[in-house]
Amino acid sequence: MHRQLKNTGLKRMYIVRYADDFKVFTDNHKSAVKIKHALKDYLKNQLKLEMSEEKSQITNIRKRSSEFLGFELRAYKRKKKHICYSRIAAKKKQIIKEKIKELVKKIQKEPTYQNASQYNSYILGVHNYYRGAAKVNRDFCDISYSCLRILHNRLQHTGVYELPRSPPILYKSLFKNKYKVYKVCGIYLFPIADIQWKMPLSFSQHICDYTKMGRSRNFTELSSTVVEEIGYLNDARIEITQVEKRVISF
């Protein structure tokens, strides 16, 4: 959300929020200090909430990275302007590595279809979540390299290490590069490093649940197929209710 502030000494302010986590961006340190004090007073006086000094810091992202929702944000100079690059936060990368090692040990102990599927579900989940990071390919290559030894030591006698031969349709649609992976119980374990950056989808700031106009746009801009499906489900529910009444009457 972008807001132009007048008569406050602030030139520009951007607010990015997800649930109860938010970042406020501005163009100079003086404005950042004013915004921080204003937010602290508002949260305390209007919402009866205390701002955490440990988590609420002023950071110059041209010099240091700032973490948000598991991503690290850093501004780099490119030609005559600054571009914000994102990557997986260092703490989150370590968590992903530990989780992968845990799942691999579980497969070694019990090489079942369920455990192999659980491993694939986790890899696909972190791929989908971090796919929008600008440096996502490099980050997952680092994670994959760190996990090579445990994959080899734990699965060399459990699975077969090979290039996928006639993999399932889902595997073909997700992974385009030719990586050797382990095959356990007929399932190819998803390659950690095979991920490509994807442009995050933007959304309209006018559509929301908090204003009358935002709510109306939220429903009027539904696609025709969604509206038809809702109508179909509503009619189906009416028919089921009528059948239930007939059964009860008999």
Side-chain angles (χ1 to χ4, degrees):
M1 178 176 65
H2 169 247
R3 185 177 179 184
Q4 184 77 27
L5 302 176
K6 298 179 179 180
N7 302 323
T8 61
L10 303 179
K11 295 181 180 180
R12 285 187 296 271
M13 182 177 77
Y14 297 86
I15 300 176
V16 181
R17 182 181 70 85
Y18 180 83
D20 60 342
D21 292 327
F22 62 91
K23 287 281 185 185
V24 181
F25 297 87
T26 188
D27 53 4
N28 60 78
H29 183 267
K30 186 176 180 180
S31 296
V33 173
K34 289 183 178 180
I35 292 169
K36 182 179 179 181
H37 286 298
L39 286 173
K40 184 176 182 179
D41 290 341
Y42 178 82
L43 291 173
K44 183 176 181 180
N45 298 328
Q46 302 297 327
L47 304 179
K48 310 302 179 185
L49 298 174
E50 293 292 336
M51 178 184 286
S52 172
E53 292 295 334
E54 181 182 355
K55 296 181 180 180
S56 306
Q57 300 177 352
I58 297 174
T59 304
N60 185 347
I61 60 173
R62 297 180 181 179
K63 298 180 179 179
R64 298 189 304 275
S65 60
S66 178
E67 186 176 339
F68 183 58
L69 300 177
F71 295 84
E72 283 185 1
L73 308 176
R74 180 76 183 270
Y76 293 92
K77 192 170 184 180
R78 186 176 180 181
K79 295 182 179 180
K80 295 183 179 180
K81 59 183 180 180
H82 282 80
I83 304 295
C84 184
Y85 283 97
S86 57
R87 64 185 311 163
I88 304 174
K91 292 180 181 178
K92 296 300 181 181
K93 285 177 68 175
Q94 188 60 36
I95 291 173
I96 293 172
K97 292 175 187 177
E98 294 301 325
K99 183 63 177 179
I100 290 174
K101 292 177 182 179
E102 177 188 328
L103 293 171
V104 170
K105 291 178 182 178
K106 192 173 181 181
I107 293 174
Q108 182 196 23
K109 186 176 180 180
E110 297 181 29
T112 62
Y113 181 92
Q114 182 179 2
N115 288 339
S117 297
Q118 187 179 4
Y119 174 93
N120 282 348
S121 295
Y122 180 74
I123 297 300
L124 184 59
V126 291
H127 276 188
N128 288 336
Y129 184 80
Y130 290 106
R131 192 178 295 275
K135 303 291 184 179
V136 65
N137 188 267
R138 181 181 300 176
D139 288 334
F140 272 103
C141 282
D142 293 341
I143 294 171
S144 178
Y145 182 77
S146 300
C147 296
L148 280 177
R149 178 174 294 180
I150 191 170
L151 282 165
H152 173 72
N153 293 340
R154 298 281 179 174
L155 300 181
Q156 60 178 328
H157 301 301
T158 304
V160 180
Y161 190 59
E162 63 181 17
L163 286 172
R165 301 174 182 176
S166 301
I169 297 175
L170 177 62
Y171 189 101
K172 289 182 179 179
S173 64
L174 293 174
F175 307 108
K176 307 300 182 184
N177 297 314
K178 294 182 179 180
Y179 282 96
K180 281 188 175 182
V181 295
Y182 281 95
K183 186 179 183 181
V184 180
C185 294
I187 298 179
Y188 287 109
L189 300 184
F190 289 169
I192 301 170
D194 195 357
I195 181 174
Q196 300 298 325
W197 175 81
K198 184 178 180 181
M199 172 71 76
L201 296 177
S202 59
F203 60 93
S204 173
Q205 298 183 14
H206 301 291
I207 299 177
C208 67
D209 297 329
Y210 309 107
T211 64
K212 185 176 181 180
M213 180 181 295
R215 289 191 294 272
S216 64
R217 290 191 177 186
N218 194 15
F219 291 102
T220 56
E221 295 191 9
L222 289 174
S223 64
S224 58
T225 55
V226 175
V227 175
E228 290 173 2
E229 185 67 19
I230 293 174
Y232 171 77
L233 292 174
N234 186 49
D235 294 339
R237 178 58 188 162
I238 293 173
E239 292 176 2
I240 292 171
T241 305
Q242 290 174 350
V243 171
E244 289 173 351
K245 287 181 179 178
R246 294 193 192 101
V247 172
I248 293 170
S249 64
F250 281 99

